[in-house]
């Protein structure tokens, strides 16, 4: 499925230039590598690990690509973001859900970045001492789609989905890259970033958990970039996108039991801490839904009556939102 020019074609092109007397311009010594596919290796019948070089960040980004069941015809692409850890820890879609098996029977490409911890998948103003250079909006919205579309047989229709902190990211990416995504699914996120609660949640991720400085991301607290990256403030930019939002109440639900979480300490943490976080994201989701309603922008909102901020519920939401995503990308 991967398209690369053959050595014969490259040699023929070079020979033609030499015979014709053309000269090749010398590449600047300091030129940074362009965004491109670096490597690809199959990891299963329907999964491949790839590495894509980001020119904006000047580093290689590992990703997992789940392949469509029917590869004889073009398919749409779902970009699926991990949470705060960015896939750099054990909390990943592949490790915590049935995503590989679920999509093995679907006709879509699923692209999962395995980097981006605590970055909010946005373009940072400046490099961070702890978290480095982050230009994720440029990578996800410009560089990566071009590489995916030139590497695989895609149909030009894209969707994006994310959980927790990346549920904020997917909304901002859709606003920043108008027309790129037909469908956006945000599970258990807090879209507000310019309110005091919203900024607190962002700082908990970037600073408390990640050790970075959120001012390197969006400038001074309460500054204009915090409003510019607030999907509630800028909800009008979501018009025309098929939207799916979900959050539970934070009350213990069916997966907050010893049957699913045998370790008592882990279960307590999931109920107490995960419950509080989910309750906060529920309020955030209601705020965004209300703003969309005032703007007469339609959205599917799944208000789950019970459940914590945890993976089993997000697996359910991916399954529930799939028909809407599939319609958008022609799967």
């Amino acid at each position: 499925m991967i398209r690369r020019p053959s050595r014969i074609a490259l040699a023929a092109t070079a020979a033609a230039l030499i015979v014709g007397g053309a000269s090749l311009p010398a590449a600047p010594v300091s030129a940074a590598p362009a965004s491109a596919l670096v490597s690809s290796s199959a990891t299963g019948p329907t999964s491949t690990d790839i590495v894509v070089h980001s020119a904006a960040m000047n580093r290689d980004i590992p990703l997992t690509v789940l392949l469509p069941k029917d590869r004889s015809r073009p398919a749409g692409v779902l970009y699926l973001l991990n949470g705060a850890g960015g896939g750099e820890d054990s909390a990943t879609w592949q490790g915590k859900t049935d995503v590989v098996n679920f999509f093995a029977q679907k006709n879509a490409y699923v692209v999962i970045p395995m980097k981006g911890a605590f970055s909010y998948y946005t373009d940072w103003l400046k490099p961070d001492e702890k978290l480095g250079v982050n230009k994720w909006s440029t990578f996800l919205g410009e560089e990566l789609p071009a590489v995916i579309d030139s590497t695989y047989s895609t149909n030009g229709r894209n969707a994006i989905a994310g959980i927790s902190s990346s549920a904020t990211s997917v909304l901002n990416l859709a606003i920043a890259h108008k027309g790129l995504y037909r469908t956006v699914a945000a599970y258990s996120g807090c879209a507000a970033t310019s309110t005091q609660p919203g900024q607190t949640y962002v700082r908990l991720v970037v600073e408390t958990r990640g050790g970075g400085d959120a001012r390197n991301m969006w400038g001074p607290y309460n500054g204009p970039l915090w409003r510019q990256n607030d999907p509630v403030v800028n909800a009008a930019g979501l018009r025309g996108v098929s939207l799916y939002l979900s959050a539970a109440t934070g009350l213990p639900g069916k997966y907050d039991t010893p049957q699913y979480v045998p370790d008592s300490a882990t279960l307590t943490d999931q109920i107490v801490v995960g419950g509080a976080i989910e309750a906060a994201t529920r309020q955030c989701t209601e705020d965004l839904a209300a703003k969309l309603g005032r703007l007469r922008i339609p959205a599917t909102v799944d208000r789950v009556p019970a459940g914590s901020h945890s993976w089993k519920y997000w697996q359910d939401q991916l399954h529930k939102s799939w028909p809407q995503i599939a319609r958008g990308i022609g799967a």
Side-chain angles (χ1 to χ4, degrees):
M1 297 299 296
I2 297 177
R3 304 165 185 159
R4 296 190 182 91
S6 68
R7 292 183 181 180
I8 294 174
L10 290 172
T13 302
L17 288 168
I18 294 169
V19 171
S23 60
L24 293 172
V29 175
S30 60
S35 301
L37 180 71
V38 174
S39 66
S40 174
S41 59
T43 55
T46 60
S47 62
T48 299
D49 284 349
I50 67 172
V51 175
V52 174
H53 182 78
S54 167
M57 293 185 277
N58 194 26
R59 58 174 162 143
D60 293 346
I61 307 299
L63 307 101
T64 292
V65 179
L66 305 181
L67 305 172
K69 180 182 179 181
D70 180 4
R71 281 162 246 172
S72 67
R73 57 189 176 91
V77 183
L78 168 62
Y79 293 90
L80 187 59
L81 304 187
N82 288 300
E88 298 180 32
D89 54 15
S90 61
T92 67
W93 281 103
Q94 301 96 304
K96 297 293 186 180
T97 75
D98 67 350
V99 66
V100 175
N101 290 334
F102 180 72
F103 282 105
Q105 302 303 314
K106 306 293 187 292
N107 287 319
Y109 291 97
V110 181
V111 180
I112 310 173
M114 302 305 291
K115 282 286 183 182
F118 313 114
S119 69
Y120 264 85
Y121 288 112
T122 188
D123 281 4
W124 287 44
L125 279 178
K126 59 176 107 172
D128 187 80
E129 183 177 347
K130 175 71 173 179
L131 300 176
V133 175
N134 291 288
K135 296 293 182 183
W136 288 99
S137 182
T138 297
F139 178 69
L140 293 170
E142 299 174 18
E143 297 176 330
L144 182 60
V147 172
I148 295 297
D149 289 344
S150 64
T151 301
Y152 299 102
S153 180
T154 62
N155 65 10
R157 300 178 181 180
N158 305 302
I160 191 166
I163 58 167
S164 193
S165 62
S166 70
T168 305
S169 309
V170 298
L171 296 165
N172 274 329
L173 286 162
I175 293 169
H177 303 282
K178 191 71 175 175
L180 179 59
Y181 309 107
R182 303 241 180 151
T183 307
V184 175
Y187 316 127
S188 301
C190 189
T193 61
S194 60
T195 63
Q196 283 307 310
Q199 287 188 45
T200 298
Y201 302 147
V202 172
R203 293 181 64 185
L204 284 171
V205 171
V206 174
E207 299 178 346
T208 304
R209 293 189 60 191
D213 186 339
R215 291 169 294 187
N216 291 330
M217 183 170 74
W218 289 333
Y221 308 130
N222 301 314
L225 278 183
W226 291 78
R227 286 183 59 81
Q228 187 175 317
N229 288 279
D230 186 323
V232 178
V233 172
N234 301 290
L238 295 168
R239 192 178 302 279
V241 177
S242 177
L243 296 169
Y244 183 99
L245 312 175
S246 70
T249 59
L251 297 172
K254 61 181 179 179
Y255 298 128
D256 304 308
T257 64
Q259 177 185 353
Y260 292 99
V261 189
D263 181 75
S264 60
T266 303
L267 178 58
T268 298
D269 181 72
Q270 181 168 304
I271 292 173
V272 176
V273 178
I277 295 172
E278 191 67 11
T281 68
R282 175 60 169 264
Q283 183 58 58
C284 292
T285 300
E286 295 292 359
D287 291 344
L288 177 58
K291 178 64 177 291
L292 293 169
R294 291 193 294 273
L295 294 172
R296 299 184 184 278
I297 296 175
T300 300
V301 184
D302 189 19
R303 298 171 169 89
V304 184
S308 61
H309 202 69
S310 53
W311 281 98
K312 287 290 186 183
Y313 298 103
W314 298 328
Q315 176 177 285
D316 282 356
Q317 288 304 318
L318 181 60
H319 290 193
K320 292 175 76 172
S321 60
W322 172 245
Q324 184 170 335
I325 294 171
R327 287 193 297 273
I329 63 175

